[in-house]
Coordinates of all heavy atoms in Angstrom, one line a residue:
V281 N -7.9 -19.4 -6.4 CA -8.8 -18.5 -7.2 C -7.9 -17.4 -7.8 O -7.3 -16.6 -7.0 CB -10.0 -18.0 -6.4 CG1 -10.8 -17.0 -7.2 CG2 -10.8 -19.1 -5.9
A282 N -7.9 -17.2 -9.1 CA -7.2 -16.1 -9.7 C -8.0 -14.9 -9.7 O -9.2 -14.9 -9.8 CB -6.8 -16.5 -11.1
V283 N -7.4 -13.8 -9.4 CA -8.0 -12.5 -9.4 C -7.9 -11.8 -10.8 O -6.7 -11.7 -11.2 CB -7.5 -11.6 -8.3 CG1 -8.1 -10.2 -8.4 CG2 -7.6 -12.2 -7.0
D284 N -9.0 -11.5 -11.5 CA -8.9 -11.0 -12.8 C -8.8 -9.5 -12.7 O -9.8 -8.8 -12.8 CB -10.1 -11.4 -13.6 CG -10.0 -11.0 -15.1 OD1 -9.0 -10.5 -15.5 OD2 -11.0 -11.1 -15.8
D285 N -7.6 -9.0 -12.5 CA -7.5 -7.5 -12.3 C -7.4 -6.8 -13.7 O -7.5 -5.6 -13.7 CB -6.2 -7.2 -11.5 CG -5.0 -7.8 -12.1 OD1 -4.8 -9.0 -12.0 OD2 -4.1 -7.0 -12.5
A286 N -7.4 -7.5 -14.8 CA -7.3 -6.8 -16.1 C -8.7 -6.2 -16.4 O -8.8 -5.1 -17.0 CB -6.9 -7.7 -17.2
N287 N -9.8 -7.0 -16.1 CA -11.1 -6.5 -16.4 C -11.8 -5.7 -15.4 O -12.7 -4.9 -15.6 CB -12.0 -7.7 -16.8 CG -11.6 -8.4 -18.0 OD1 -11.1 -7.8 -19.0 ND2 -11.6 -9.7 -18.0
D288 N -11.4 -5.9 -14.1 CA -12.0 -5.2 -13.0 C -11.0 -4.9 -11.9 O -10.9 -5.5 -10.9 CB -13.1 -6.0 -12.4 CG -13.9 -5.3 -11.3 OD1 -13.7 -4.1 -11.1 OD2 -14.6 -6.0 -10.5
P289 N -10.1 -3.9 -12.2 CA -9.0 -3.7 -11.3 C -9.4 -3.2 -9.9 O -8.8 -3.6 -8.9 CB -8.1 -2.6 -12.0 CG -9.0 -2.0 -13.1 CD -10.0 -3.1 -13.4
K290 N -10.5 -2.4 -9.8 CA -11.0 -2.0 -8.5 C -11.6 -3.2 -7.7 O -11.4 -3.3 -6.5 CB -11.9 -0.8 -8.6 CG -11.2 0.5 -8.9 CD -12.1 1.6 -8.4 CE -11.2 2.9 -8.5 NZ -11.9 4.0 -7.8
G291 N -12.3 -4.0 -8.4 CA -12.8 -5.2 -7.8 C -11.7 -6.1 -7.3 O -11.8 -6.7 -6.2
A292 N -10.6 -6.3 -8.1 CA -9.5 -7.1 -7.7 C -8.8 -6.5 -6.5 O -8.4 -7.2 -5.5 CB -8.5 -7.2 -8.8
A293 N -8.7 -5.1 -6.5 CA -8.1 -4.5 -5.3 C -8.9 -4.7 -4.1 O -8.3 -4.9 -3.0 CB -7.9 -3.0 -5.6
A294 N -10.2 -4.7 -4.2 CA -11.0 -5.0 -3.0 C -10.8 -6.4 -2.5 O -10.8 -6.6 -1.3 CB -12.5 -4.8 -3.4
L295 N -10.6 -7.3 -3.4 CA -10.3 -8.7 -2.9 C -9.0 -8.8 -2.2 O -8.8 -9.5 -1.2 CB -10.4 -9.7 -4.1 CG -11.7 -9.9 -4.7 CD1 -11.6 -10.8 -5.9 CD2 -12.7 -10.6 -3.7
Y296 N -8.0 -8.1 -2.8 CA -6.7 -8.1 -2.1 C -6.8 -7.4 -0.8 O -6.2 -7.9 0.2 CB -5.6 -7.3 -3.0 CG -5.1 -8.1 -4.2 CD1 -5.3 -7.6 -5.5 CD2 -4.5 -9.3 -4.0 CE1 -4.8 -8.3 -6.6 CE2 -4.0 -10.0 -5.1 CZ -4.2 -9.5 -6.4 OH -3.7 -10.2 -7.4
L297 N -7.5 -6.3 -0.7 CA -7.7 -5.7 0.6 C -8.4 -6.6 1.6 O -8.0 -6.6 2.8 CB -8.6 -4.4 0.4 CG -8.8 -3.5 1.6 CD1 -7.5 -3.1 2.2 CD2 -9.6 -2.3 1.3
E298 N -9.3 -7.4 1.2 CA -9.9 -8.3 2.1 C -8.9 -9.4 2.6 O -8.9 -9.7 3.8 CB -11.1 -9.1 1.4 CG -11.9 -9.9 2.3 CD -13.1 -10.5 1.5 OE1 -13.7 -9.8 0.6 OE2 -13.4 -11.7 1.7
A299 N -8.0 -9.8 1.7 CA -7.0 -10.8 2.1 C -6.0 -10.1 3.1 O -5.5 -10.7 4.1 CB -6.3 -11.3 0.9
I300 N -5.7 -8.8 2.9 CA -4.8 -8.1 3.7 C -5.4 -8.0 5.1 O -4.7 -8.2 6.1 CB -4.5 -6.7 3.1 CG1 -3.6 -6.8 1.9 CG2 -3.8 -5.8 4.2 CD1 -3.6 -5.6 1.0
E301 N -6.6 -7.6 5.2 CA -7.3 -7.5 6.5 C -7.4 -8.8 7.2 O -7.2 -8.8 8.4 CB -8.7 -6.9 6.3 CG -8.7 -5.5 5.9 CD -10.0 -4.9 5.4 OE1 -11.0 -5.7 5.3 OE2 -10.1 -3.7 5.2
H302 N -7.5 -9.9 6.5 CA -7.5 -11.2 7.1 C -6.2 -11.5 7.7 O -6.1 -12.0 8.9 CB -7.9 -12.3 6.1 CG -7.9 -13.7 6.6 ND1 -8.9 -14.1 7.5 CD2 -7.0 -14.7 6.4 CE1 -8.6 -15.4 7.8 NE2 -7.5 -15.7 7.2
Q303 N -5.1 -11.3 7.0 CA -3.8 -11.5 7.5 C -3.5 -10.6 8.7 O -2.9 -11.1 9.7 CB -2.7 -11.3 6.4 CG -2.5 -12.6 5.6 CD -1.3 -12.5 4.8 OE1 -1.1 -11.6 3.9 NE2 -0.4 -13.4 4.9
E304 N -3.9 -9.4 8.6 CA -3.6 -8.5 9.7 C -4.4 -9.0 11.0 O -3.9 -8.9 12.1 CB -4.0 -7.0 9.4 CG -3.1 -6.4 8.4 CD -3.6 -5.0 8.0 OE1 -4.8 -4.7 8.1 OE2 -2.7 -4.2 7.6
G305 N -5.6 -9.5 10.8 CA -6.4 -10.0 11.9 C -5.7 -11.2 12.6 O -6.0 -11.4 13.7
E306 N -4.9 -11.9 11.8 CA -4.2 -13.0 12.4 C -2.8 -12.6 12.9 O -2.0 -13.5 13.3 CB -4.0 -14.1 11.3 CG -5.3 -14.7 10.8 CD -5.0 -15.8 9.7 OE1 -4.0 -15.8 9.1 OE2 -5.9 -16.6 9.5
G307 N -2.6 -11.3 13.0 CA -1.3 -10.8 13.5 C -0.1 -11.0 12.5 O 1.0 -11.0 12.9
R308 N -0.4 -11.1 11.2 CA 0.6 -11.3 10.2 C 0.7 -10.1 9.3 O 0.8 -10.3 8.1 CB 0.4 -12.6 9.5 CG 0.5 -13.8 10.4 CD 0.3 -15.1 9.6 NE -0.9 -15.1 8.8 CZ -1.1 -15.8 7.7 NH1 -0.1 -16.5 7.2 NH2 -2.2 -15.8 7.0
G309 N 0.6 -8.9 9.8 CA 0.5 -7.7 9.0 C 1.8 -7.5 8.2 O 1.8 -7.0 7.1
A310 N 2.9 -7.9 8.7 CA 4.2 -7.7 8.0 C 4.3 -8.7 6.8 O 5.2 -8.5 5.9 CB 5.4 -8.0 8.9
M311 N 3.4 -9.6 6.7 CA 3.4 -10.6 5.6 C 2.5 -10.2 4.4 O 2.3 -10.9 3.5 CB 3.0 -12.0 6.1 CG 3.7 -12.5 7.3 SD 5.4 -12.9 6.8 CE 5.1 -14.4 6.0
T312 N 2.0 -8.9 4.4 CA 1.0 -8.5 3.4 C 1.6 -7.8 2.3 O 0.9 -7.2 1.4 CB -0.1 -7.6 4.1 OG1 0.6 -6.4 4.6 CG2 -0.8 -8.3 5.2
G313 N 2.9 -7.7 2.2 CA 3.6 -7.0 1.2 C 3.2 -7.3 -0.3 O 2.9 -6.4 -1.1
D314 N 3.2 -8.6 -0.6 CA 2.8 -9.0 -2.0 C 1.4 -8.6 -2.3 O 1.1 -8.1 -3.4 CB 3.0 -10.5 -2.2 CG 4.5 -10.9 -2.2 OD1 5.3 -10.0 -2.4 OD2 4.7 -12.1 -2.0
K315 N 0.5 -8.8 -1.4 CA -0.9 -8.5 -1.6 C -1.1 -7.0 -1.7 O -1.9 -6.5 -2.5 CB -1.8 -9.1 -0.5 CG -1.9 -10.6 -0.6 CD -2.6 -11.1 0.6 CE -2.4 -12.6 0.8 NZ -1.0 -13.0 1.0
T316 N -0.4 -6.2 -0.9 CA -0.5 -4.8 -0.9 C 0.1 -4.2 -2.3 O -0.6 -3.4 -2.9 CB 0.3 -4.1 0.2 OG1 -0.2 -4.6 1.5 CG2 0.3 -2.6 0.2
R317 N 1.2 -4.8 -2.7 CA 1.7 -4.3 -4.0 C 0.8 -4.6 -5.1 O 0.6 -3.9 -6.1 CB 3.1 -4.9 -4.2 CG 4.2 -4.2 -3.4 CD 5.6 -4.7 -3.7 NE 5.9 -6.0 -3.1 CZ 6.2 -6.2 -1.8 NH1 6.3 -5.1 -1.0 NH2 6.5 -7.4 -1.3
A318 N 0.1 -5.8 -5.1 CA -0.8 -6.2 -6.1 C -2.0 -5.2 -6.1 O -2.5 -4.8 -7.2 CB -1.3 -7.6 -5.9
A319 N -2.5 -4.9 -4.9 CA -3.6 -4.0 -4.8 C -3.2 -2.6 -5.3 O -4.0 -1.9 -6.0 CB -4.1 -3.9 -3.4
V320 N -2.0 -2.1 -5.0 CA -1.6 -0.8 -5.5 C -1.5 -0.8 -7.0 O -1.9 0.1 -7.6 CB -0.2 -0.5 -4.9 CG1 0.5 0.6 -5.6 CG2 -0.3 -0.2 -3.4
A321 N -1.0 -1.9 -7.6 CA -1.0 -2.0 -9.0 C -2.4 -1.9 -9.6 O -2.6 -1.3 -10.7 CB -0.3 -3.3 -9.5
C322 N -3.3 -2.6 -9.0 CA -4.7 -2.6 -9.5 C -5.3 -1.2 -9.4 O -5.9 -0.7 -10.4 CB -5.6 -3.5 -8.6 SG -5.3 -5.3 -8.9
Y323 N -5.0 -0.5 -8.3 CA -5.5 0.9 -8.2 C -4.9 1.8 -9.3 O -5.6 2.6 -9.9 CB -5.2 1.5 -6.8 CG -6.2 1.0 -5.7 CD1 -5.8 0.5 -4.5 CD2 -7.6 1.1 -5.9 CE1 -6.7 0.1 -3.6 CE2 -8.5 0.7 -5.0 CZ -8.0 0.2 -3.8 OH -8.9 -0.2 -2.8
C324 N -3.6 1.6 -9.5 CA -2.9 2.4 -10.5 C -3.5 2.1 -11.9 O -3.7 3.0 -12.7 CB -1.4 2.2 -10.4 SG -0.7 3.0 -9.0
R325 N -3.7 0.8 -12.2 CA -4.3 0.5 -13.5 C -5.7 1.1 -13.7 O -6.1 1.4 -14.8 CB -4.4 -1.0 -13.7 CG -3.1 -1.6 -14.3 CD -3.3 -3.0 -14.8 NE -3.5 -4.0 -13.7 CZ -2.5 -4.5 -12.9 NH1 -1.3 -4.1 -13.1 NH2 -2.7 -5.4 -12.0
A326 N -6.4 1.2 -12.6 CA -7.8 1.8 -12.6 C -7.7 3.3 -12.7 O -8.8 3.9 -12.7 CB -8.5 1.3 -11.4
G327 N -6.5 3.9 -12.6 CA -6.4 5.3 -12.7 C -6.7 6.0 -11.4 O -7.1 7.2 -11.3
A328 N -6.5 5.2 -10.3 CA -6.8 5.8 -8.9 C -5.6 5.6 -8.0 O -5.7 4.9 -7.0 CB -8.1 5.1 -8.4
P329 N -4.5 6.2 -8.4 CA -3.3 6.0 -7.5 C -3.5 6.5 -6.1 O -2.9 6.1 -5.2 CB -2.2 6.7 -8.3 CG -2.8 7.6 -9.2 CD -4.2 7.0 -9.5
A330 N -4.4 7.5 -5.9 CA -4.6 8.1 -4.6 C -5.2 7.1 -3.7 O -4.9 7.1 -2.4 CB -5.5 9.3 -4.7
D331 N -5.9 6.1 -4.2 CA -6.5 5.1 -3.4 C -5.5 4.1 -2.8 O -5.7 3.4 -1.8 CB -7.6 4.3 -4.1 CG -8.8 5.1 -4.5 OD1 -9.0 6.2 -3.9 OD2 -9.6 4.7 -5.4
A332 N -4.3 4.1 -3.4 CA -3.2 3.2 -3.0 C -2.4 3.8 -1.8 O -1.8 3.0 -1.1 CB -2.3 2.9 -4.1
I333 N -2.5 5.1 -1.6 CA -1.7 5.7 -0.6 C -1.9 5.1 0.8 O -1.0 4.8 1.5 CB -1.8 7.2 -0.6 CG1 -1.3 7.8 -2.0 CG2 -1.1 7.9 0.5 CD1 -1.7 9.2 -2.3
P334 N -3.2 5.1 1.3 CA -3.4 4.5 2.6 C -2.9 3.1 2.8 O -2.5 2.7 3.8 CB -4.9 4.6 2.8 CG -5.4 5.5 1.8 CD -4.5 5.5 0.6
L335 N -3.0 2.3 1.7 CA -2.5 0.9 1.8 C -1.0 0.9 2.0 O -0.5 0.1 2.8 CB -2.9 0.2 0.5 CG -4.2 -0.4 0.3 CD1 -4.4 -1.1 -1.0 CD2 -4.5 -1.4 1.4
L336 N -0.3 1.7 1.3 CA 1.1 1.8 1.4 C 1.6 2.3 2.8 O 2.5 1.7 3.4 CB 1.7 2.6 0.3 CG 1.7 1.9 -1.1 CD1 1.9 2.9 -2.2 CD2 2.7 0.8 -1.2
L337 N 0.8 3.2 3.3 CA 1.2 3.7 4.6 C 0.9 2.7 5.7 O 1.6 2.5 6.7 CB 0.4 5.0 4.9 CG 0.8 6.2 4.1 CD1 -0.2 7.4 4.4 CD2 2.2 6.6 4.3
R338 N -0.2 1.9 5.5 CA -0.5 0.8 6.4 C 0.5 -0.3 6.3 O 0.9 -0.8 7.4 CB -1.9 0.3 5.9 CG -2.5 -0.7 6.8 CD -4.0 -0.8 6.4 NE -4.5 -2.1 6.4 CZ -5.8 -2.4 6.0 NH1 -6.5 -1.4 5.5 NH2 -6.2 -3.6 6.1
L339 N 1.0 -0.6 5.1 CA 2.1 -1.6 5.0 C 3.3 -1.1 5.7 O 4.0 -1.9 6.4 CB 2.4 -1.9 3.5 CG 3.5 -2.8 3.2 CD1 3.3 -4.2 3.8 CD2 3.8 -2.9 1.7
A340 N 3.7 0.2 5.5 CA 4.8 0.7 6.2 C 4.7 0.6 7.7 O 5.7 0.2 8.4 CB 5.0 2.2 5.8
S341 N 3.6 0.8 8.2 CA 3.4 0.7 9.7 C 3.5 -0.7 10.1 O 4.2 -1.0 11.1 CB 2.0 1.2 10.0 OG 1.7 1.1 11.4
N342 N 3.0 -1.7 9.4 CA 3.1 -3.1 9.7 C 4.6 -3.5 9.6 O 5.0 -4.3 10.5 CB 2.3 -4.0 8.7 CG 0.8 -3.9 9.0 OD1 0.4 -3.6 10.1 ND2 0.0 -4.1 8.0
L343 N 5.3 -3.1 8.6 CA 6.7 -3.5 8.5 C 7.5 -2.8 9.5 O 8.5 -3.5 10.0 CB 7.2 -3.1 7.1 CG 6.5 -3.8 5.9 CD1 6.9 -3.2 4.6 CD2 7.0 -5.3 5.9
D344 N 7.2 -1.6 9.9 CA 8.0 -0.9 11.0 C 7.8 -1.7 12.3 O 8.8 -1.9 13.0 CB 7.5 0.5 11.1 CG 8.4 1.3 12.0 OD1 9.6 1.1 12.0 OD2 7.9 2.2 12.7
A345 N 6.6 -2.2 12.6 CA 6.3 -2.9 13.8 C 7.1 -4.2 13.8 O 7.5 -4.7 14.8 CB 4.9 -3.2 13.9
A346 N 7.4 -4.8 12.6 CA 8.2 -6.0 12.4 C 9.7 -5.8 12.4 O 10.4 -6.7 12.3 CB 7.7 -6.8 11.2
G347 N 10.1 -4.5 12.3 CA 11.5 -4.2 12.2 C 12.1 -4.3 10.9 O 13.4 -4.4 10.8
A348 N 11.4 -4.3 9.8 CA 11.9 -4.4 8.5 C 12.1 -3.0 7.9 O 11.4 -2.5 7.0 CB 10.9 -5.2 7.6
S349 N 13.2 -2.4 8.3 CA 13.4 -1.0 8.0 C 13.6 -0.7 6.5 O 13.2 0.3 6.0 CB 14.6 -0.4 8.8 OG 15.8 -1.1 8.5
G350 N 14.3 -1.5 5.8 CA 14.5 -1.3 4.4 C 13.2 -1.3 3.6 O 12.9 -0.5 2.7
A351 N 12.3 -2.2 4.0 CA 11.0 -2.3 3.3 C 10.1 -1.2 3.7 O 9.2 -0.7 2.9 CB 10.3 -3.7 3.6
V352 N 10.3 -0.7 4.9 CA 9.5 0.5 5.4 C 9.7 1.7 4.5 O 8.8 2.4 4.0 CB 9.8 0.8 6.9 CG1 9.2 2.1 7.3 CG2 9.4 -0.3 7.8
S353 N 11.0 1.9 4.2 CA 11.3 3.1 3.3 C 10.7 2.9 2.0 O 10.2 3.9 1.4 CB 12.9 3.2 3.2 OG 13.5 3.4 4.4
K354 N 10.7 1.7 1.4 CA 10.1 1.5 0.1 C 8.6 1.8 0.1 O 8.1 2.3 -0.8 CB 10.4 0.1 -0.4 CG 11.9 -0.1 -0.7 CD 12.1 -1.6 -1.1 CE 13.5 -1.9 -1.3 NZ 13.8 -3.3 -1.6
A355 N 8.0 1.3 1.2 CA 6.5 1.5 1.3 C 6.2 3.0 1.4 O 5.3 3.5 0.7 CB 6.0 0.8 2.4
Y356 N 7.0 3.8 2.2 CA 6.7 5.2 2.3 C 7.0 5.9 1.0 O 6.2 6.8 0.6 CB 7.6 5.8 3.4 CG 7.1 5.6 4.8 CD1 7.9 5.2 5.8 CD2 5.7 5.8 5.1 CE1 7.4 5.0 7.1 CE2 5.3 5.6 6.4 CZ 6.1 5.2 7.4 OH 5.6 5.0 8.7
L357 N 8.1 5.6 0.3 CA 8.4 6.2 -1.0 C 7.3 5.9 -2.0 O 7.0 6.7 -2.8 CB 9.8 5.8 -1.4 CG 10.9 6.4 -0.7 CD1 12.3 5.9 -1.1 CD2 10.9 7.9 -0.8
G358 N 6.8 4.6 -1.9 CA 5.7 4.3 -2.8 C 4.5 5.2 -2.6 O 3.8 5.6 -3.6
A359 N 4.2 5.5 -1.4 CA 3.1 6.4 -1.1 C 3.3 7.8 -1.6 O 2.4 8.4 -2.2 CB 2.8 6.5 0.5
V360 N 4.5 8.3 -1.6 CA 4.9 9.6 -2.1 C 4.7 9.5 -3.6 O 4.2 10.5 -4.2 CB 6.3 10.0 -1.7 CG1 6.8 11.2 -2.5 CG2 6.4 10.2 -0.2
V361 N 5.2 8.5 -4.3 CA 5.1 8.3 -5.7 C 3.6 8.3 -6.2 O 3.3 8.9 -7.2 CB 5.9 7.1 -6.2 CG1 5.6 6.8 -7.7 CG2 7.4 7.3 -6.0
C362 N 2.8 7.5 -5.4 CA 1.4 7.5 -5.8 C 0.7 8.8 -5.6 O -0.1 9.2 -6.5 CB 0.7 6.4 -4.9 SG 1.0 4.7 -5.4
A363 N 1.1 9.6 -4.6 CA 0.6 11.0 -4.5 C 0.9 11.8 -5.7 O 0.1 12.6 -6.2 CB 1.0 11.6 -3.2
L364 N 2.2 11.7 -6.1 CA 2.6 12.4 -7.3 C 1.9 12.0 -8.5 O 1.5 12.8 -9.4 CB 4.1 12.3 -7.5 CG 5.0 13.0 -6.4 CD1 6.5 12.7 -6.6 CD2 4.8 14.5 -6.5
A365 N 1.7 10.7 -8.7 CA 1.0 10.2 -9.8 C -0.5 10.6 -9.8 O -1.0 10.8 -10.9 CB 1.0 8.6 -9.8
A366 N -1.0 10.9 -8.7 CA -2.4 11.4 -8.6 C -2.4 12.9 -8.8 O -3.5 13.5 -8.8 CB -3.0 11.0 -7.2
G367 N -1.3 13.5 -9.0 CA -1.2 14.9 -9.3 C -1.3 15.8 -8.0 O -1.7 16.9 -8.0
D368 N -1.0 15.1 -6.9 CA -1.1 15.8 -5.6 C 0.3 16.1 -5.0 O 0.8 15.4 -4.1 CB -1.9 14.9 -4.6 CG -2.2 15.6 -3.3 OD1 -1.9 16.8 -3.1 OD2 -2.7 14.9 -2.4
A369 N 0.9 17.1 -5.5 CA 2.3 17.4 -5.1 C 2.3 17.8 -3.6 O 3.2 17.5 -2.9 CB 2.9 18.5 -5.9
R370 N 1.3 18.6 -3.2 CA 1.2 19.0 -1.8 C 1.1 17.8 -0.9 O 1.7 17.7 0.2 CB 0.1 20.0 -1.6 CG 0.4 21.3 -2.1 CD -0.6 22.3 -1.6 NE -0.2 23.7 -2.1 CZ -1.1 24.6 -2.5 NH1 -2.4 24.3 -2.4 NH2 -0.7 25.7 -2.9
G371 N 0.2 16.8 -1.3 CA 0.0 15.6 -0.5 C 1.3 14.8 -0.4 O 1.6 14.2 0.6
A372 N 2.0 14.7 -1.6 CA 3.3 14.0 -1.6 C 4.3 14.7 -0.6 O 5.0 14.0 0.1 CB 3.9 14.0 -3.0
D373 N 4.4 16.0 -0.7 CA 5.3 16.7 0.2 C 4.9 16.5 1.7 O 5.7 16.4 2.6 CB 5.3 18.2 -0.1 CG 6.3 19.0 0.6 OD1 7.5 18.6 0.6 OD2 6.0 20.0 1.2
A374 N 3.6 16.6 2.0 CA 3.1 16.3 3.3 C 3.4 14.9 3.8 O 3.8 14.8 5.0 CB 1.6 16.6 3.4
T375 N 3.2 14.0 2.9 CA 3.6 12.6 3.3 C 5.0 12.4 3.6 O 5.5 11.8 4.6 CB 3.1 11.6 2.2 OG1 1.7 11.7 2.0 CG2 3.5 10.2 2.5
L376 N 5.9 13.0 2.7 CA 7.3 13.0 2.9 C 7.7 13.7 4.2 O 8.5 13.2 5.0 CB 8.0 13.7 1.7 CG 9.5 13.5 1.6 CD1 9.9 12.0 1.6 CD2 10.0 14.2 0.4
G377 N 7.0 14.8 4.5 CA 7.3 15.5 5.8 C 6.9 14.7 7.0 O 7.6 14.6 8.0
D378 N 5.7 14.0 6.9 CA 5.3 13.2 8.0 C 6.2 12.0 8.3 O 6.4 11.6 9.4 CB 3.9 12.6 7.7 CG 2.8 13.7 7.7 OD1 3.1 14.8 8.2 OD2 1.7 13.4 7.2
V379 N 6.7 11.4 7.2 CA 7.5 10.2 7.4 C 9.0 10.5 7.7 O 9.7 9.6 8.1 CB 7.4 9.2 6.3 CG1 5.9 8.8 6.1 CG2 7.9 9.7 5.0
S380 N 9.4 11.7 7.5 CA 10.8 12.0 7.6 C 11.2 11.9 9.1 O 12.4 11.7 9.4 CB 11.1 13.4 7.1 OG 10.4 14.4 7.9
G381 N 10.3 11.9 10.0 CA 10.6 11.7 11.4 C 10.6 10.3 11.9 O 11.0 9.9 13.0
V382 N 10.2 9.4 11.0 CA 10.2 7.9 11.3 C 11.7 7.4 11.2 O 12.3 7.5 10.2 CB 9.3 7.2 10.3 CG1 9.4 5.7 10.6 CG2 7.9 7.7 10.4
P383 N 12.2 6.8 12.3 CA 13.5 6.3 12.3 C 13.9 5.4 11.2 O 15.0 5.4 10.6 CB 13.7 5.7 13.7 CG 12.6 6.2 14.5 CD 11.5 6.6 13.6
A384 N 13.0 4.5 10.8 CA 13.2 3.5 9.8 C 13.3 4.2 8.4 O 13.9 3.6 7.5 CB 12.2 2.4 9.7
F385 N 12.8 5.4 8.2 CA 12.9 6.1 7.0 C 14.2 6.8 6.8 O 14.8 6.9 5.9 CB 11.7 7.0 6.8 CG 11.6 7.7 5.5 CD1 11.2 6.9 4.4 CD2 11.8 9.0 5.3 CE1 11.1 7.5 3.1 CE2 11.7 9.6 4.0 CZ 11.4 8.8 3.0

């Protein structure tokens, strides 16, 4: 089933989120990168980059648990960029401060 994110990006993001939760429930959280990136793109197209931040932090946590340190850094930086895109410089700085203590970052 194709997800039509052009006409309903938030609805598409909700479907991606459901798929992410399903994979996490099966213990495959580190395998959710493609779906998370697709959901983030949907939120950004919908003009809601702030909604993508928790997804990226969740992905970073899943990847950290799997030992994928390079991908962890990208996920955290994505969260910072989404905060900046949402116009939340303080939130971006806080996120950067929070993750600076993470060894994989």
